[in-house]
Amino acid sequence: MNEYLMSVVLVGAVATLASLFLPEGDDRMRRLLEFGFALLILLVILRPLPGLLGQDLGFPDLFPPAEGSAEEDLPEETWSQMEAAVAEGIEQDIASRYHLPPSCIRADVELRREGDGLLISSLLLTFTGEGRLADLYAIRAYAEKNYQTVCEVKSDGG
């Protein structure tokens, strides 16, 4: 309820401020813009009405909620593809930085939504072949610093 009242007050304040900057000479344009502001305020005021009536009027939600997790907003396949793309980028970054073949590095990434962005919640790097000879402590420190997450490093998957 508090968010609803804040949105009504905010839209009203923005409409009032905008009306102060409307052109003085063009009366027709001024009336048209004031009508648009009034319509916008009316839409914001009537927004909870379908929920109170228990009906869906078939109008799209003009102000979708900003809350919720990315897992809920995106299909599982899309979420998995994003994690795979981030993992591939990390593999390429570490391979080029430490002069390793990309085939000897495997990154497993889990993402989480925080605010409007995505962050890496966990990172597991597995090294095989030539990757086992690299300085795994330095790679772990680099990954934790640059990807801002706790990184686990394994050699040969064990």
Side-chain angles (χ1 to χ4, degrees), residues 29-144:
M29 177 65 84
R30 183 177 189 82
R31 283 185 297 170
L32 182 64
L33 290 173
E34 285 177 348
F35 175 75
F37 292 143
L39 189 60
L40 179 64
I41 292 171
L42 183 63
L43 283 173
V44 170
I45 290 172
L46 295 178
R47 181 174 165 225
L49 188 60
L52 294 174
L53 298 175
Q55 297 176 356
D56 183 15
L57 299 179
F59 294 112
D61 192 3
L62 298 176
F63 306 101
E67 297 180 18
S69 68
E71 295 91 342
E72 295 169 359
D73 296 346
L74 297 172
E76 180 64 32
E77 181 181 335
T78 303
W79 191 249
S80 298
Q81 290 173 348
M82 288 177 16
E83 288 179 334
V86 170
E88 183 180 338
I90 290 173
E91 290 168 358
Q92 291 175 358
D93 176 41
I94 292 176
S96 67
R97 180 168 181 83
Y98 292 96
H99 309 291
L100 298 170
S103 61
C104 70
I105 303 169
R106 191 179 93 231
D108 294 307
V109 174
E110 288 185 23
L111 298 175
R112 75 173 186 276
R113 184 175 184 178
E114 188 170 301
D116 289 336
L118 294 175
L119 297 176
I120 299 172
S121 61
S122 71
L123 174 61
L124 170 64
L125 297 174
T126 305
F127 292 89
T128 59
E130 290 179 45
R132 293 180 302 154
L133 303 175
D135 186 356
L136 300 181
Y137 292 107
I139 293 173
R140 178 179 176 209
Y142 170 79
E144 287 181 348

